[in-house]
Amino acid sequence: QVQLVQSGAEVKKPGASVKVSCKASGYPFTSYYMHWVRQAPGQGLEWMSLINPTAGSTSYAQKFQGRVTVTRDTSTSTVYMELSSLTSEDTAVYYCARSTDWRFYFDYWGQGTLVTVSS
Amino acid sequence: EIVLTQSPGTLSLSPGERATLSCRASQSVSSSYLAWYQQKPGQAPRLLIYGASRATVIPDRFSGSGSGTDFTLTISRLEPEDFAVYYCQQYGNSPYTFGQGTKLEIK
């Protein structure tokens, strides 16, 4: 069965960076795109980025341009999302989510990773 | 950026009733590329509808309709497990935006 398993919760200080992983299993890793979506406490969902696991090409929401980097390791079927220059407004649950390669709705989601930014 | 506005913010209904949730886009959504998700507390969102299709194992009491800028999620007969927050998402244009959500609560 399809599974997306994310790394554990993180606590970071303002100005630091965080790197969250998402390990995929149960399907051909390179056949589906992977996205990152975040949700601040009590708030809605916000799309951040996508990666084409085959080519490694990425696309980022303008809001996060220059601050987010998404990479993948095809040998371990894992996608990574690194967010830098953290502020308290980056406190959120970060989800990875899978889509097909041409219609970007999300049929499987990771369990979420809580990132807390606090001094 | 396409802004999605969901209404109402909160919907109070009883089990067995019909629920109608609205999602309005600030500009036309390409090819009706609109999805609906359900989210329960402490859980990841779950895909319900994409375009006019139900996702795998989603019961047929859930249906989606609409085109252009106006879309609707209908739950024909509410079950106790349907009370949750619902989000719409457009996937026609980057960034792939979500609505702010509608909370469906038990009356």
Side-chain angles (χ1 to χ4, degrees):
Chain A
Q1 73 283 19
V2 174
Q3 282 194 303
L4 304 177
V5 179
Q6 299 183 221
S7 50
E10 302 265 11
V11 179
K12 296 292 182 180
K13 294 195 182 302
S17 297
V18 68
K19 192 170 187 177
V20 181
S21 67
C22 171
K23 183 174 176 59
S25 61
Y27 71 96
F29 178 67
T30 55
S31 295
Y32 292 82
Y33 281 31
M34 198 72 80
H35 302 250
W36 290 91
V37 176
R38 77 176 186 180
Q39 186 170 39
Q43 303 301 309
L45 301 163
E46 182 175 33
W47 179 81
M48 300 176 65
S49 65
L50 68 80
I51 187 166
N52 173 347
T54 302
S57 53
T58 55
S59 177
Y60 303 124
Q62 188 169 10
K63 174 178 179 177
F64 300 101
Q65 286 276 2
R67 235 177 25 105
V68 67
T69 303
V70 176
T71 57
R72 94 298 190 210
D73 182 344
T74 55
S75 68
T76 60
S77 301
T78 302
V79 174
Y80 300 91
M81 186 280 297
E82 184 169 22
L83 187 64
S84 62
S85 303
L86 293 170
T87 72
S88 58
E89 295 190 351
D90 294 315
T91 294
V93 175
Y94 290 77
Y95 294 101
C96 59
R98 188 188 84 161
S99 79
T100 68
D101 60 359
W102 64 284
R103 290 189 296 176
F104 297 158
Y105 59 84
F106 311 126
D107 60 353
Y108 285 92
W109 295 66
Q111 83 276 18
T113 296
L114 175 61
V115 175
T116 303
V117 183
S118 174
S119 56
Chain B
E1 170 174 326
I2 296 178
V3 176
L4 299 179
T5 302
Q6 293 186 239
S7 61
T10 301
L11 185 57
S12 300
L13 293 170
S14 300
E17 291 192 292
R18 181 185 185 90
T20 303
L21 286 67
S22 173
C23 177
R24 178 162 290 177
S26 60
Q27 57 188 278
S28 185
V29 175
S30 304
S31 304
S32 296
Y33 281 175
L34 190 110
W36 290 92
Y37 301 85
Q38 176 193 71
Q39 188 178 34
K40 296 181 178 179
Q43 296 184 16
R46 177 174 73 143
L47 176 67
L48 299 174
I49 302 285
Y50 57 96
S53 301
R54 270 187 303 278
T56 306
V57 305
I58 300 302
D60 61 7
R61 65 179 180 273
F62 290 90
S63 63
S65 62
S67 64
T69 61
D70 288 299
F71 297 86
T72 300
L73 174 70
T74 301
I75 311 171
S76 60
R77 187 175 173 84
L78 286 166
E79 298 287 341
E81 62 267 27
D82 298 337
F83 292 91
V85 179
Y86 291 83
Y87 294 96
C88 57
Q89 177 232 345
Q90 65 82 21
Y91 52 96
N93 293 87
S94 179
Y96 308 106
T97 47
F98 292 85
Q100 84 281 14
T102 290
K103 182 179 181 181
L104 178 56
E105 65 177 23
I106 299 176
K107 188 173 182 180

